[in-house]
Amino acid sequence: MNRKKLQKLTESLCKSAKHFNKFEVECLIKLFNNLDVEPSDRHAIVGLDRNSFRNILHVTFGMTDDMIMDRVFRAFDKDNDSCISVTEWVEGLSIFLRGTLEEKMKYCFEVYDLNGDGYISREEMFHMLKNSLLKQPSEEDPDEGIKDLVEITLKKMDYDHDGKVSFVDFEKAVREENLLLEAFGPCLPDMKCRMSFESQAFQDAPEL
């Protein structure tokens, strides 16, 4: 990418990825270009495919839950083309690393709403909690324990008692208890991973 193109892209992304300054946006663009990004077969556009992105989530941010990593990929991939472009990368990281509580609530809800119908259902909670909780070999039926946990969570978050959690329910619950933001599995980086990524990414990134 030549200097002029880089500057143009940086200026455009500074407006949409508002939690980063110009230098940081430029560093993230350079980092993206230094990652193993190849044109996707179907679209011939340069971007991160699902596996490359999941690898970053796993190695850099310590994520291990396949279902959550897949959902985070979808939350970044705004145009659903199965490829994360440089714009989606920078805008996604803006919320992932430094989002406001409002932005993080929308992002987490989107990750947890597996079928995209605007609700987190009992079934969705069950699948996510089953995936993210460590298996206890001593329990005769671990599924029963997870079902109990789903009921406890619903009691805490389902304000309108319709048997599922809408975004309004989710927002209200998280505002009352911030820890509920990642109630169904870790989909945001912890402080240590975030600081480590930022200190590496925002050192003067190598020139292209």
Side-chain angles (χ1 to χ4, degrees), residues 110 143 167 197:
E110 189 181 340
D143 284 6
F167 180 70
F197 175 82

Side-chain angles (χ1 to χ4, degrees), residues 41-60:
D41 297 339
R42 285 182 307 147
H43 305 281
I45 49 170
V46 173
L48 285 170
D49 65 17
R50 191 180 303 268
N51 287 338
S52 308
F53 185 72
R54 280 170 57 124
N55 192 46
I56 293 167
L57 291 178
H58 179 62
V59 174
T60 309

Side-chain angles (χ1 to χ4, degrees), residues 135-180:
K135 307 285 181 285
Q136 300 296 330
S138 58
E139 283 186 46
E140 286 174 24
D141 185 3
D143 284 6
E144 281 309 311
I146 295 163
K147 281 177 189 164
D148 290 344
L149 195 55
V150 167
E151 293 310 316
I152 292 165
T153 308
L154 264 173
K155 232 173 234 175
K156 203 165 178 60
M157 299 180 92
D158 178 20
Y159 287 92
D160 56 6
H161 309 295
D162 61 352
K164 54 195 175 181
V165 173
S166 65
F167 180 70
V168 173
D169 289 333
F170 185 73
E171 184 179 22
K172 196 169 177 183
V174 172
R175 286 193 189 282
E176 285 184 13
E177 177 49 80
N178 283 180
L179 289 172
L180 290 171

Side-chain angles (χ1 to χ4, degrees), residues 54-115:
R54 280 170 57 124
N55 192 46
I56 293 167
L57 291 178
H58 179 62
V59 174
T60 309
F61 298 108
M63 291 192 182
T64 53
D65 185 327
D66 285 336
M67 184 189 286
I68 295 287
M69 286 194 284
D70 194 51
R71 296 297 305 160
V72 172
F73 176 83
R74 289 179 187 217
F76 270 68
D77 180 23
K78 292 294 181 198
D79 59 4
N80 296 316
D81 67 348
S82 301
C83 185
I84 291 174
S85 67
V86 65
T87 300
E88 289 168 337
W89 163 254
V90 177
E91 289 176 353
L93 284 174
S94 176
I95 292 169
F96 188 70
L97 296 170
R98 298 184 180 174
T100 61
L101 182 60
E102 281 73 17
E103 289 170 331
K104 284 178 175 171
M105 284 191 288
K106 283 180 186 156
Y107 159 79
C108 288
F109 188 84
E110 189 181 340
V111 168
Y112 299 145
D113 177 12
L114 301 180
N115 65 359

